[in-house]
Amino acid sequence: MDLKRLLPQVVDIARNAGSAILEIYEQDFDVEHKADDSPLTAADLAAHKVIVAGLAKLDPVLPVLSEESAQQPFAERADWERYWLVDPLDGTKEFIKRNGEFTVNIALIENHEPVLGVVHVPVMNKDYFGAQGHGAFRQSEGGEPEAIRVASGDAGSPRVVGSRSHRGELLDAYLGRLGDHEMVPMGSSLKFCVVAEGNADVYPRLGLTSEWDTAAAHAVVNCAGGKVLAVSGEPLRYNAKEDILNPHFVVIGNTNRDWMGLL
């Protein structure tokens, strides 16, 4: 596939989904709960419908795995060499809190690796996107795309991006071993993007996530020169096992420290 040609089309689909989300965000909305007790709003479902329809126009055959769709059994998914992996509204808790830190995430996976990713931030009207071999970019308020790159060199105290809604003993222990640091709180897949644009050095995620939570932003980090490594030291892989849960992982921008050695 021509990833460079495909990228702006996927950005447009993500923006359209963001518009559907904002229509609901600006009103009163109900919150339901899924079987795993995670929250669900009409905005999740509206964005899902926009994305699935848009991707079908690009390629009616390519499978789509979305958080809000019925999940295909692994026996069927295992044969997919290429597919779309989508989280229509990442950061539903942030959406409910109305703090603006939620995103639309669309990734193209090839052979277990994210090769294209778009992260749209509806409230900020901002996009992060990248495609393998073509770099990573940030675009704000309809301006021109700017190339982004992870941080390099020693900028003093390490800047660690962390979740606003998820914290735990493992992360606290990791930060204790790290020593003096600056904490950059952020919600949703924006945590990856903060690393990709060089405004944080590392994002340790020592808690549960699903593959659709990470894939799009993972692609952006890769294209910006960073890495997303499982605690085993191997890159995160997608659709390589029956469940869709990620192992604990670390998003690495600045390589001036042994982030993995602190695990």
Side-chain angles (χ1 to χ4, degrees):
M1 301 182 75
D2 185 345
L3 299 182
K4 187 176 182 180
R5 178 192 61 81
L6 194 60
L7 191 55
Q9 299 177 75
V10 180
V11 171
D12 284 343
I13 293 171
R15 289 173 179 168
N16 291 339
S19 296
I21 288 171
L22 288 180
E23 287 183 13
I24 296 165
Y25 187 67
E26 293 165 358
Q27 307 169 13
D28 291 331
F29 53 83
D30 294 326
V31 179
E32 301 175 10
H33 286 83
K34 305 178 192 177
D36 64 358
D37 206 35
S38 59
L40 173 70
T41 69
D44 298 75
L45 299 175
H48 166 79
K49 291 178 181 177
V50 169
I51 293 168
V52 170
L55 294 177
K57 289 181 181 178
L58 295 183
D59 188 329
V61 177
L62 205 60
V64 178
L65 181 61
S66 167
E67 182 176 11
E68 307 310 338
S69 62
Q71 301 310 309
Q72 296 89 338
F74 184 63
E76 176 185 332
R77 291 188 286 114
D79 294 329
W80 295 355
E81 294 183 1
R82 179 187 294 127
Y83 69 102
W84 297 108
L85 183 54
V86 174
D87 190 344
L89 200 170
D90 182 43
T92 303
K93 291 182 180 179
E94 316 305 331
F95 178 90
I96 294 168
K97 294 175 185 175
R98 297 184 185 271
N99 68 13
E101 294 177 4
F102 53 87
T103 57
V104 176
N105 299 269
I106 306 174
L108 179 65
I109 309 296
E110 286 188 355
N111 298 316
H112 311 293
E113 179 184 359
V115 297
L116 177 151
V118 174
V119 177
H120 174 65
V121 195
V123 170
M124 302 178 190
N125 194 18
K126 180 183 289 188
D127 303 287
Y128 295 90
F129 50 90
Q132 192 174 73
H134 300 289
F137 301 88
R138 174 184 58 215
Q139 189 169 11
S140 302
E141 295 289 342
E144 291 299 313
E146 311 168 72
I148 56 175
R149 193 77 183 166
V150 297
S152 61
D154 191 347
S157 295
R159 299 163 300 168
V160 184
V161 65
S163 175
R164 287 198 189 277
S165 300
H166 304 278
R167 188 81 180 238
E169 293 180 2
L170 291 176
L171 177 57
D172 289 339
Y174 182 91
L175 296 176
R177 291 188 291 272
L178 177 60
D180 290 340
H181 63 276
E182 175 189 347
M183 197 69 190
V184 183
M186 189 63 63
S188 72
S189 59
L190 282 170
K191 295 183 286 294
F192 285 76
C193 298
V194 172
V195 175
E197 65 187 351
N199 288 329
D201 300 304
V202 67
Y203 164 37
R205 182 53 188 248
L206 306 179
L208 291 179
T209 57
S210 295
E211 293 181 3
W212 44 61
D213 295 322
T214 60
H218 182 172
V220 175
V221 169
N222 283 355
C223 293
K227 297 178 181 180
V228 182
L229 302 178
V231 293
S232 65
E234 298 295 320
L236 284 192
R237 286 166 55 81
Y238 296 84
N239 199 36
K241 53 186 174 56
E242 186 162 358
D243 69 69
I244 48 80
L245 293 176
N246 291 315
H248 295 177
F249 61 84
V250 181
V251 181
I252 298 172
N254 198 330
T255 57
N256 67 334
R257 288 176 182 259
D258 181 11
W259 306 110
M260 302 300 290
L262 295 169
L263 292 169

